[in-house]
Amino acid sequence: NWSSYTMIRKKDFFGITTLGIFIILFDQITKFFAREYLQTPVYINQFFSFDLSFNRGISWGVFHSNNPLYFYIIGLLIGSILLVFGYYIYNRVNLGLSVLAESLVFFGGISNLVDRFFYEGVVDFLAFNFRGYYFPNFNIADVFITLGVFFMFIKIIFYED
């Protein structure tokens, strides 16, 4: 019946929203501390450090530019992709399908998009290196995005036709 269908949807919406709030708050709080306290790198050991940087491009600094027009075009593209992806998630929820993996990607992306418009670049501060190879700095939202993509691949390979 319709009321039980609506109840399930409200429950799904509440769970997704709660997850999203957690991801965004956790990410933004860690970025706040990075902006406030990481004026110089903090080395934990030979492999890991906290090192503040602002990424004005996309993943790993690809398409980085100091040109404001270019920066905002990238931001609008990312925002548009997130809108379409959000609509995809909405449709999956209405079909009763799992959206955990997709939600990790979506809310991580939203948190990074917030940075683009408030700080003119995505705040990155987690830094790894190994034998002179420096992995691009990243943040907590990037961790959620990566986990979400990984879980989406697992779901596609093992659980969906």
Side-chain angles (χ1 to χ4, degrees):
N1 78 33
W2 177 252
S3 64
S4 65
Y5 175 81
T6 306
M7 292 284 285
I8 291 170
R9 296 295 150 242
K10 286 180 182 175
K11 180 180 159 196
D12 292 343
F13 179 77
F14 177 76
I16 292 165
T17 303
T18 302
L19 175 66
I21 290 169
F22 170 77
I23 289 171
I24 292 169
L25 282 177
F26 184 39
D27 181 58
Q28 290 297 319
I29 288 168
T30 60
K31 290 173 179 175
F32 168 80
F33 283 107
R35 287 190 322 275
E36 291 295 314
Y37 299 108
L38 289 178
Q39 307 316 314
T40 59
V42 175
Y43 297 95
I44 304 304
N45 57 39
Q46 62 183 343
F47 304 110
F48 178 69
S49 62
F50 296 106
D51 187 8
L52 180 64
S53 64
F54 291 85
N55 179 357
R56 292 179 53 89
I58 57 172
S59 300
W60 300 315
V62 174
F63 304 125
H64 178 90
S65 174
N66 289 322
N67 180 325
L69 179 62
Y70 193 68
F71 173 74
Y72 288 114
I73 288 171
I74 290 173
L76 285 172
L77 274 170
I78 292 169
S80 299
I81 291 167
L82 286 170
L83 276 173
V84 170
F85 196 56
Y87 182 71
Y88 169 77
I89 292 170
Y90 173 80
N91 285 330
R92 285 185 62 87
V93 168
N94 282 332
L95 292 172
L97 300 172
S98 170
V99 293
L100 174 63
E102 293 86 348
S103 296
L104 295 175
V105 174
F106 179 75
F107 289 113
I110 292 292
S111 192
N112 280 342
L113 189 63
V114 166
D115 289 4
R116 292 185 155 279
F117 292 102
F118 282 104
Y119 310 113
E120 295 189 4
V122 176
V123 178
D124 290 329
F125 61 93
L126 302 171
F128 284 94
N129 72 80
F130 183 70
R131 296 186 180 195
Y133 172 75
Y134 291 85
F135 190 79
N137 290 11
F138 60 100
N139 58 50
I140 300 299
D142 297 334
V143 172
F144 283 112
I145 291 168
T146 302
L147 286 171
V149 169
F150 175 76
F151 292 144
M152 285 169 61
F153 277 124
I154 296 297
K155 189 165 49 171
I156 289 166
I157 292 169
F158 295 109
Y159 297 104
E160 292 186 4
D161 293 333

